[in-house]
Amino acid sequence: MSPGVDKETELSDRIETFLAELKRGGNGRGSAETARQTAGLLRRITAQARWGNAGELMDIIRKEGKRMVLAQSSETTVGNTVRRVLKIIREEYSRLRGRSEETDQQESLHKLLTSGGLSEDFSAHVPALRANVIEVINELLTELEGTLDNIAMQALEHIHSNEVIMTIGRSRTVEAFLKDAARKRKFHVIVAECAPFCQGHEMAASLSKDGIETTVITDAAIFAVMSRVNKVIIGTQTILANGGLRAVSGTHTLALAAKHHSTPLIVCAPMFKLTPQFPNEEDTFHKFVSPQEVLPFTEGEILAKVNVHCPVFDYVPPELITLFISNIGGNAPSYIYRLMSELYHPDDHDL
């Protein structure tokens, strides 16, 4: 067997393994690890797949990206990473052909006015494209490695001494953010338990181990306690195109209580969670799990008479959010559209 065929077989095996892991729910990996693995796999595809020009490479990445997204439709990180890589290919191709981003922007404005009259030709062969794209994907991987640290570094700008901070459930990003601030400041954290999975208990145990004064409350007590809280700091599963959130169930309640008491709501989320999806677009927005935790099967008599829905995520509209803290700094929800245009190309919003 020739080395080329051997490499292709190895590549397709790796893709299938990754797809199988995604279908199984990512084996408990966090979204940061999923983003890194996706970027690593796309780098391997760029290096080993057979393609002659940017158009062919983009078709391959789109095709594999679609399969990855379908394997776990509730995890938007995979699709976002695929879109980032497609934008990288577009930019490198334009750069190597001597076109600046300014002319691209003017052209996109022209496209807007002539409703897609122009479309860029990606069929030209550019010898240095493969090496350049791999180099930029390596930079993207380095950026993904440092996202948590970059967010945590900003903690002291937002958390002050003797503040009372509320959070919900367990977010690795928020955990790192609070622990970083605790190195120099004393503050009190109130954690809503986030029933029925009660990840808030794990969060509280982890924070108190680091010497942070922590209290766990039930989700029903959020409104009662909110008047004492200085800031609400939460994580999210996805940042949507309108600046809203898809976050763990119970976050909307927390956000409404914060709004009522005029308490600032800060969202800590890396940029790879930003997706061009809108809240009303897809059914995949809602993910339901077994209601066993809410209404156990032992309650047989009641179960026969009711339908129980147990959603995993809440939608939080942008008007309830004060600030986003990402690995590139703090931004208001109204600035999300700008970040979207920097990270993804409009033609790649639908893979």
Coordinates of all heavy atoms in Angstrom, one line a residue, residues 312-345:
V312 N -32.6 21.1 29.3 CA -31.2 21.3 29.9 C -30.8 22.7 29.8 O -30.1 23.2 30.7 CB -30.2 20.4 29.1 CG1 -28.8 20.6 29.6 CG2 -30.6 18.9 29.1
F313 N -31.3 23.4 28.8 CA -30.9 24.8 28.6 C -32.0 25.9 28.7 O -33.2 25.5 28.5 CB -30.2 25.0 27.2 CG -29.1 24.1 26.9 CD1 -29.1 23.1 25.9 CD2 -28.0 24.2 27.7 CE1 -28.0 22.3 25.7 CE2 -26.9 23.3 27.5 CZ -26.9 22.4 26.5
D314 N -31.6 27.1 29.0 CA -32.5 28.2 29.1 C -32.0 29.2 28.0 O -30.8 29.3 27.8 CB -32.3 28.9 30.5 CG -33.5 28.7 31.4 OD1 -34.4 28.0 31.0 OD2 -33.4 29.1 32.5
Y315 N -32.9 30.0 27.5 CA -32.5 31.1 26.6 C -32.6 32.4 27.5 O -33.5 32.7 28.2 CB -33.5 31.3 25.5 CG -33.3 32.6 24.7 CD1 -32.1 32.9 24.1 CD2 -34.3 33.5 24.6 CE1 -31.9 34.1 23.4 CE2 -34.2 34.7 23.9 CZ -33.0 35.0 23.3 OH -32.8 36.1 22.7
V316 N -31.5 33.1 27.5 CA -31.4 34.4 28.2 C -31.3 35.5 27.2 O -30.3 35.6 26.4 CB -30.2 34.4 29.2 CG1 -30.1 35.7 29.9 CG2 -30.2 33.3 30.1
P317 N -32.3 36.4 27.1 CA -32.2 37.5 26.1 C -31.1 38.5 26.4 O -30.7 38.7 27.5 CB -33.6 38.2 26.1 CG -34.1 37.7 27.4 CD -33.5 36.5 27.8
P318 N -30.5 39.2 25.3 CA -29.4 40.1 25.5 C -29.6 41.3 26.5 O -28.7 41.8 27.1 CB -29.0 40.5 24.1 CG -30.2 40.2 23.3 CD -30.9 39.1 23.9
E319 N -30.9 41.7 26.5 CA -31.2 42.9 27.4 C -31.0 42.6 28.9 O -30.9 43.5 29.7 CB -32.6 43.4 27.1 CG -33.7 42.5 27.2 CD -34.0 41.8 25.9 OE1 -33.1 41.7 25.0 OE2 -35.1 41.2 25.8
L320 N -30.9 41.3 29.3 CA -30.6 41.0 30.7 C -29.1 40.9 31.0 O -28.8 40.7 32.2 CB -31.3 39.6 31.0 CG -32.8 39.6 30.8 CD1 -33.3 38.2 31.2 CD2 -33.6 40.6 31.7
I321 N -28.3 41.0 30.0 CA -26.8 40.9 30.2 C -26.1 42.2 30.2 O -26.4 43.1 29.4 CB -26.3 40.0 29.1 CG1 -26.9 38.6 29.1 CG2 -24.7 39.8 29.2 CD1 -26.9 37.8 27.8
T322 N -25.2 42.4 31.2 CA -24.5 43.7 31.3 C -23.2 43.6 30.5 O -22.9 44.6 29.8 CB -24.2 43.9 32.8 OG1 -25.3 43.7 33.6 CG2 -23.7 45.4 33.0
L323 N -22.5 42.5 30.6 CA -21.1 42.5 30.0 C -20.7 41.1 29.7 O -21.0 40.1 30.5 CB -20.1 43.1 31.0 CG -18.7 43.3 30.6 CD1 -18.6 44.4 29.5 CD2 -17.8 43.6 31.7
F324 N -20.0 40.9 28.6 CA -19.4 39.6 28.3 C -17.9 39.8 28.5 O -17.3 40.7 28.1 CB -19.6 39.3 26.8 CG -20.9 38.8 26.4 CD1 -21.8 39.5 25.7 CD2 -21.3 37.5 26.8 CE1 -23.1 39.0 25.4 CE2 -22.5 37.0 26.4 CZ -23.4 37.7 25.8
I325 N -17.3 38.8 29.2 CA -15.9 38.8 29.4 C -15.3 37.6 28.6 O -15.6 36.4 29.0 CB -15.4 38.7 30.9 CG1 -15.9 39.9 31.6 CG2 -13.9 38.6 31.0 CD1 -15.7 39.9 33.1
S326 N -14.6 37.9 27.6 CA -14.0 36.8 26.8 C -12.5 36.8 26.8 O -11.9 37.7 27.5 CB -14.5 36.9 25.3 OG -13.8 38.0 24.7
N327 N -11.9 35.9 26.1 CA -10.4 35.9 26.1 C -9.8 37.1 25.4 O -8.6 37.3 25.4 CB -9.9 34.6 25.5 CG -10.6 34.2 24.2 OD1 -11.8 34.1 24.1 ND2 -9.8 34.0 23.1
I328 N -10.7 37.9 24.7 CA -10.1 39.1 24.0 C -10.6 40.4 24.7 O -10.4 41.5 24.2 CB -10.4 39.1 22.5 CG1 -12.0 39.0 22.3 CG2 -9.7 38.0 21.8 CD1 -12.4 39.3 20.9
G329 N -11.2 40.3 25.9 CA -11.6 41.5 26.7 C -13.0 41.5 27.0 O -13.8 40.5 26.7
G330 N -13.5 42.6 27.5 CA -14.9 42.8 27.9 C -15.7 43.5 26.8 O -15.2 44.5 26.2
N331 N -16.9 43.0 26.5 CA -17.8 43.6 25.5 C -19.2 43.6 25.9 O -19.7 42.7 26.6 CB -17.7 42.9 24.1 CG -16.3 42.9 23.5 OD1 -15.6 41.9 23.5 ND2 -15.9 44.1 23.0
A332 N -20.0 44.6 25.4 CA -21.4 44.7 25.7 C -22.1 43.7 24.7 O -21.6 43.5 23.6 CB -21.9 46.1 25.5
P333 N -23.3 43.2 25.0 CA -24.0 42.3 24.1 C -24.2 42.9 22.7 O -24.3 42.2 21.7 CB -25.3 42.1 24.8 CG -25.1 42.4 26.2 CD -24.0 43.4 26.3
S334 N -24.4 44.3 22.7 CA -24.6 44.9 21.4 C -23.4 44.9 20.4 O -23.5 45.1 19.2 CB -25.0 46.4 21.6 OG -24.0 47.0 22.3
Y335 N -22.2 44.5 21.0 CA -21.0 44.4 20.1 C -20.8 43.1 19.5 O -19.9 42.9 18.7 CB -19.8 44.8 21.0 CG -18.6 45.1 20.3 CD1 -18.4 46.3 19.5 CD2 -17.5 44.3 20.2 CE1 -17.3 46.6 18.8 CE2 -16.3 44.5 19.5 CZ -16.2 45.7 18.8 OH -15.1 46.0 18.1
I336 N -21.7 42.1 19.9 CA -21.5 40.7 19.4 C -21.5 40.6 17.9 O -20.7 39.9 17.3 CB -22.6 39.8 20.0 CG1 -22.4 39.6 21.5 CG2 -22.7 38.5 19.3 CD1 -21.1 39.0 21.9
Y337 N -22.3 41.4 17.2 CA -22.4 41.4 15.7 C -21.1 41.7 15.1 O -20.7 41.1 14.1 CB -23.5 42.3 15.2 CG -23.0 43.7 15.1 CD1 -22.6 44.3 13.9 CD2 -23.0 44.6 16.2 CE1 -22.1 45.6 13.8 CE2 -22.6 45.9 16.2 CZ -22.1 46.4 15.0 OH -21.7 47.7 14.9
R338 N -20.3 42.6 15.8 CA -19.0 43.0 15.2 C -18.0 41.9 15.4 O -17.2 41.6 14.5 CB -18.6 44.3 16.0 CG -17.2 44.8 15.6 CD -17.3 45.7 14.4 NE -16.0 46.1 14.0 CZ -15.5 45.8 12.7 NH1 -16.3 45.3 11.9 NH2 -14.3 46.2 12.4
L339 N -18.0 41.2 16.6 CA -17.1 40.1 16.8 C -17.4 39.0 15.8 O -16.5 38.3 15.3 CB -17.3 39.6 18.2 CG -16.8 40.5 19.3 CD1 -17.2 40.0 20.7 CD2 -15.3 40.8 19.3
M340 N -18.7 38.8 15.5 CA -19.2 37.8 14.6 C -18.5 38.0 13.2 O -18.0 37.0 12.6 CB -20.7 37.8 14.5 CG -21.3 36.6 13.8 SD -21.5 35.3 15.0 CE -22.6 35.9 16.1
S341 N -18.5 39.2 12.7 CA -18.0 39.5 11.4 C -16.4 39.3 11.4 O -15.8 39.0 10.4 CB -18.4 40.9 10.9 OG -17.8 41.8 11.8
E342 N -15.8 39.5 12.6 CA -14.3 39.3 12.7 C -14.0 37.9 12.6 O -12.9 37.5 12.1 CB -13.8 40.0 13.9 CG -13.7 41.5 13.8 CD -13.3 42.2 15.1 OE1 -12.7 41.5 16.0 OE2 -13.5 43.4 15.3
L343 N -14.8 37.0 13.3 CA -14.4 35.6 13.4 C -14.9 34.7 12.3 O -14.2 33.8 11.9 CB -15.1 35.1 14.7 CG -14.5 35.6 16.0 CD1 -15.3 35.0 17.2 CD2 -13.0 35.3 16.2
Y344 N -16.1 35.0 11.7 CA -16.7 34.1 10.7 C -17.0 34.9 9.4 O -17.4 36.1 9.5 CB -17.9 33.4 11.2 CG -17.8 32.9 12.6 CD1 -18.7 33.2 13.6 CD2 -16.8 31.9 12.9 CE1 -18.6 32.7 14.9 CE2 -16.7 31.4 14.2 CZ -17.6 31.8 15.2 OH -17.4 31.2 16.4
H345 N -16.9 34.2 8.3 CA -17.3 34.9 7.0 C -18.8 34.6 6.8 O -19.3 33.5 7.1 CB -16.5 34.2 5.9 CG -16.7 35.0 4.6 ND1 -17.7 34.8 3.7 CD2 -15.9 35.9 4.0 CE1 -17.6 35.6 2.7 NE2 -16.5 36.3 2.9

